[in-house]
């Protein structure tokens, strides 16, 4: 599914801004995110550009346009101002939708293995080199399935994967992801996603 164009207002959280930008790129959509500082978002934008995602920062507006992602070769996390480990899971999902192979290397922490196992269950083409490095090959059509969100950041990555997948997915517990992304379901619906929060 392609997320439509929308604008989100944030208050300086570049991880959240980067998350929404990557979700748009994964689903082949476009988005404008307001409120992140240009100097913070540049580390995210640099990696998106390497993945052939068209994006730009104009004042406090970070814009992602519809793109055809391509493999970036290697993406490595780092201490500030390096690429943040908090976005590794999302960028790995994006790499599954990019043409070619991308090595994602998180030397700070072990990769979010729980989410990556579930991505494999969705038909993602992933090869785990070791607990810190994974190779994603794409583009690969993902398939919907039940998903378990035990971690905030990997939970958001699984939601993005579900939006790009064929078929229906059900993710629980949603509260894990909502801790970091306020009004998550409403925002996704505002972008055109077919999502619902079950009682």
């Amino acid at each position: 599914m392609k997320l439509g164009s929308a604008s989100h207002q944030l208050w300086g959280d570049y991880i959240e801004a980067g998350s929404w930008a990557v979700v748009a790129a994964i689903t082949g959509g476009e988005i404008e995110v307001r409120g992140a500082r240009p100097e913070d978002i540049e580390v995210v934008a640099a990696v998106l550009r390497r993945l052939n995602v068209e994006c730009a920062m104009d004042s406090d507006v970070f814009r992602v346009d519809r793109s055809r992602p391509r493999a970036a070769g290697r993406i490595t996390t780092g201490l500030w101002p390096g690429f943040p480990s908090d976005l590794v899971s999302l960028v790995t999902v994006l790499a599954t939708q990019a043409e070619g192979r991308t090595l994602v290397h998180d030397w700070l922490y072990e990769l979010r293995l729980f989410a990556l196992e579930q991505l494999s269950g969705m038909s993602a083409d992933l090869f785990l080199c070791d607990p810190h490095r994974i190779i994603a090959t794409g583009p690969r059509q993902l398939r919907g399935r039940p998903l378990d969100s035990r971690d905030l950041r990997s939970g958001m990555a699984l939601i993005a994967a579900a939006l790009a997948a064929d078929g229906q997915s059900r993710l629980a517990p949603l509260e894990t992801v909502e801790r970091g992304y306020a009004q998550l379901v409403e925002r996704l619906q505002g972008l055109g996603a077919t999502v619902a929060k079950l009682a």
Side-chain angles (χ1 to χ4, degrees), residues 1 122 140-145 161-169:
M1 114 174 291
M122 297 178 80
R140 184 75 174 226
Q141 182 59 62
L142 304 177
R143 293 198 310 260
R145 56 163 283 178
L163 292 172
D166 276 343
Q168 186 179 83
S169 296

Side-chain angles (χ1 to χ4, degrees), residues 4 11 23 25 33 37 55 71 90 115 126 155-156 159 162-163 182 187 198:
W11 301 106
V23 169
V33 183
R37 299 188 312 168
C55 58
L90 271 165
L126 300 172
M156 189 63 169
I159 288 172
L163 292 172
R187 284 171 144 183
L198 303 181

Side-chain angles (χ1 to χ4, degrees), residues 113-126 140-147 158 161 165-166 169:
L113 299 181
F114 187 72
L116 299 178
E117 288 174 7
Q118 293 186 82
L119 280 174
S120 293
M122 297 178 80
S123 298
D125 187 348
L126 300 172
R140 184 75 174 226
Q141 182 59 62
L142 304 177
R143 293 198 310 260
R145 56 163 283 178
L147 300 168
L158 290 172
D166 276 343
S169 296

Side-chain angles (χ1 to χ4, degrees), residues 8-187:
H8 283 308
Q9 178 71 46
L10 304 176
W11 301 106
D13 184 345
Y14 80 101
I15 296 297
E16 185 176 0
S19 297
W20 286 109
V22 178
V23 169
I26 289 168
T27 60
E30 57 188 27
I31 194 170
E32 288 184 353
V33 183
R34 299 175 184 273
R37 299 188 312 168
E39 57 267 35
D40 293 337
I41 207 68
E42 181 53 37
V43 296
V44 178
V47 168
L48 289 177
R49 290 186 195 106
R50 289 182 52 215
L51 285 157
N52 199 46
V53 174
E54 294 185 28
C55 58
M57 190 81 188
D58 183 12
S59 184
D60 72 336
V61 178
F62 184 44
R63 187 183 72 253
V64 173
D65 296 322
R66 286 189 174 91
S67 307
R68 295 189 65 180
R70 288 198 303 262
R74 180 178 184 141
I75 296 170
T76 303
T77 61
L79 301 174
W80 179 259
F83 185 71
S85 181
D86 280 341
L87 291 177
V88 160
S89 296
L90 271 165
V91 164
T92 302
V93 176
L94 177 55
T96 71
Q97 303 305 296
E99 184 178 346
R101 291 183 181 172
T102 301
L103 171 67
V104 181
H105 181 195
D106 186 355
W107 64 271
L108 294 169
Y109 305 103
E110 292 186 358
L111 290 167
R112 320 286 186 173
L113 299 181
F114 187 72
L116 299 178
E117 288 174 7
Q118 293 186 82
L119 280 174
S120 293
M122 297 178 80
S123 298
D125 187 348
L126 300 172
F127 177 76
L128 186 64
C129 306
D130 58 45
H132 295 272
R133 296 179 300 157
I134 193 164
I135 297 172
T137 305
R140 184 75 174 226
Q141 182 59 62
L142 304 177
R143 293 198 310 260
R145 56 163 283 178
L147 300 168
D148 189 342
S149 59
R150 296 185 187 177
D151 170 79
L152 167 61
R153 302 304 179 187
S154 60
M156 189 63 169
L158 290 172
I159 288 172
L163 292 172
D166 276 343
Q168 186 179 83
S169 296
R170 180 176 292 197
L171 180 133
L174 185 61
E175 293 77 14
T176 302
V177 188
E178 289 178 319
R179 289 198 322 257
Y181 299 92
Q183 298 178 316
L184 175 62
V185 173
E186 293 81 358
R187 284 171 144 183

